[in-house]
Amino acid sequence: MKAGKRFERPRRQRKDVPMKDPSSQLEFVMFDLALRSVDLMRRSFSAALAEALEEARGTLLFDEKMYDDPDYQRCAAVRLGTGKETVSLVFLSKDGRQISVENALGSDHPMARKALETALPEAD
């Protein structure tokens, strides 16, 4: 790759899924902001998740290594409120420098199904 050129990988298509409960939206924003403020060079992914979940009053559903995914090394599923629309996926990039968060209902990632199935017994 030439100097000065930045590699842009194609983004997966996602559909936006509105959250029914405004307090869930606030929890999602709080969680996302808390994760973005973490220095991943000094803290582990698990520690960053735990801190963000505490601030947003969320629940960890699972946190797994992803051996075969071309883009991500870890995936966690979290619940930020009640109902399936509040289940989110948290991904750690292969290089360990970026965290991304997306609603599991609007995701086409294979881990979204597992997240929703894990949350189902607890969902309204």
Side-chain angles (χ1 to χ4, degrees), residues 28-68:
F28 180 85
V29 170
M30 288 174 50
F31 177 73
D32 190 46
L33 287 173
L35 275 176
R36 291 179 192 279
S37 69
V38 173
D39 180 359
L40 290 172
M41 293 294 134
R42 296 180 185 209
R43 309 235 16 221
S44 70
F45 180 66
S46 296
L49 272 176
E51 184 178 313
L53 284 168
E54 186 174 328
E55 282 189 39
R57 297 182 306 255
T59 305
L60 178 67
L61 300 173
F62 64 77
D63 175 10
E64 296 184 4
K65 285 190 176 193
M66 298 176 57
Y67 297 102
D68 298 328

Side-chain angles (χ1 to χ4, degrees), residues 35-110:
L35 275 176
R36 291 179 192 279
S37 69
V38 173
D39 180 359
L40 290 172
M41 293 294 134
R42 296 180 185 209
R43 309 235 16 221
S44 70
F45 180 66
S46 296
L49 272 176
E51 184 178 313
L53 284 168
E54 186 174 328
E55 282 189 39
R57 297 182 306 255
T59 305
L60 178 67
L61 300 173
F62 64 77
D63 175 10
E64 296 184 4
K65 285 190 176 193
M66 298 176 57
Y67 297 102
D68 298 328
D69 192 287
D71 300 316
Y72 305 110
Q73 62 173 284
R74 295 193 75 80
C75 176
V78 299
R79 176 189 299 284
L80 303 167
T82 60
K84 284 196 289 188
E85 71 275 0
T86 64
V87 177
S88 295
L89 296 171
V90 183
F91 297 102
L92 178 64
S93 64
K94 281 284 189 194
D95 65 7
R97 294 182 181 180
Q98 293 182 341
I99 292 178
S100 59
V101 183
E102 61 186 61
N103 189 306
L105 275 178
S107 175
D108 64 349
H109 195 280

